[in-house]
Amino acid sequence: MTAHVCRQCSADVSVLRLDRVEGENSGIHVTIEGLPVLDCSNGHRRFPTPDFPLEFIRHLVESEALDGVTPAVQKGLFRKRLLCPACGKELSSVAEDRRNGRAHVAVPEGDPVAVEVIVPLYRCPACDKQASEPESGLQRDVMQAVANAFRSAEIPPG
């Protein structure tokens, strides 16, 4: 049953669930399984609703996918440094580990979508704790990784 027509060619569209879509940005890797898109017989795709991308990202950031990730503290105006949130010492500049988080993200009128987020972690040489990039950068990079995943599935932004 289709309730929409393609904006590009006026063909009927149906909801298609994409098996696996991946994107990456600044070391953050996102894998989305079961992403719903509207697809026509001529291969044109679009999101189910105009606000779908922003709502999806908002639900992802609020989900348990990023639980267990402790953001670093960023200091410095010109030479930015990442500091351990536990002891305040400077973190290693090279990611030494990764945190894999999974979540099921709610989408309008459908089953939740499975998402895996892999976040690079930096180790503190003083107390051995691990932290990700600062929260603002983490959210920005997750958002860009999701946008790259959408782009890889050839879903236009508008």
Side-chain angles (χ1 to χ4, degrees):
M1 180 173 150
T2 56
H4 305 287
V5 293
C6 178
R7 291 180 185 161
Q8 291 176 282
C9 66
S10 299
D12 286 341
V13 296
S14 58
V15 176
L16 171 70
R17 289 279 185 152
L18 302 179
D19 290 332
R20 185 179 181 98
V21 179
E22 298 181 63
E24 188 168 336
N25 192 67
S26 296
I28 294 178
H29 189 88
V30 174
T31 303
I32 306 167
E33 295 176 356
L35 182 70
V37 295
L38 296 179
D39 185 61
C40 81
S41 58
N42 294 319
H44 302 130
R45 293 179 176 172
R46 71 173 198 241
F47 293 109
T49 62
D51 61 344
F52 181 88
L54 291 176
E55 287 299 310
F56 182 83
I57 291 168
R58 184 178 63 81
H59 288 298
L60 174 60
V61 170
E62 293 172 355
S63 75
E64 63 272 12
L66 296 176
D67 286 356
V69 174
T70 304
V73 176
Q74 184 171 305
K75 294 287 183 176
L77 186 57
F78 297 109
R79 189 178 88 75
K80 298 186 186 305
R81 299 171 293 143
L82 298 182
L83 304 180
C84 177
C87 72
K89 299 291 182 188
E90 191 166 350
L91 295 173
S92 169
S93 61
V94 177
E96 297 178 11
D97 203 358
R98 300 169 4 158
R99 162 76 169 72
N100 295 23
R102 291 192 63 80
H104 286 85
V105 177
V107 294
E109 299 178 27
D111 294 329
V113 174
V115 181
E116 179 183 36
V117 180
I118 300 173
V119 178
L121 298 175
Y122 304 89
R123 186 171 304 281
C124 177
C127 71
D128 210 36
K129 299 277 186 201
Q130 293 180 324
S132 70
E133 65 180 305
E135 189 168 359
S136 62
L138 179 64
Q139 290 181 359
R140 179 194 65 236
D141 289 339
V142 167
M143 183 170 57
Q144 188 59 52
V146 170
N148 291 341
F150 292 162
R151 211 171 281 116
S152 77
E154 299 177 357
I155 308 169

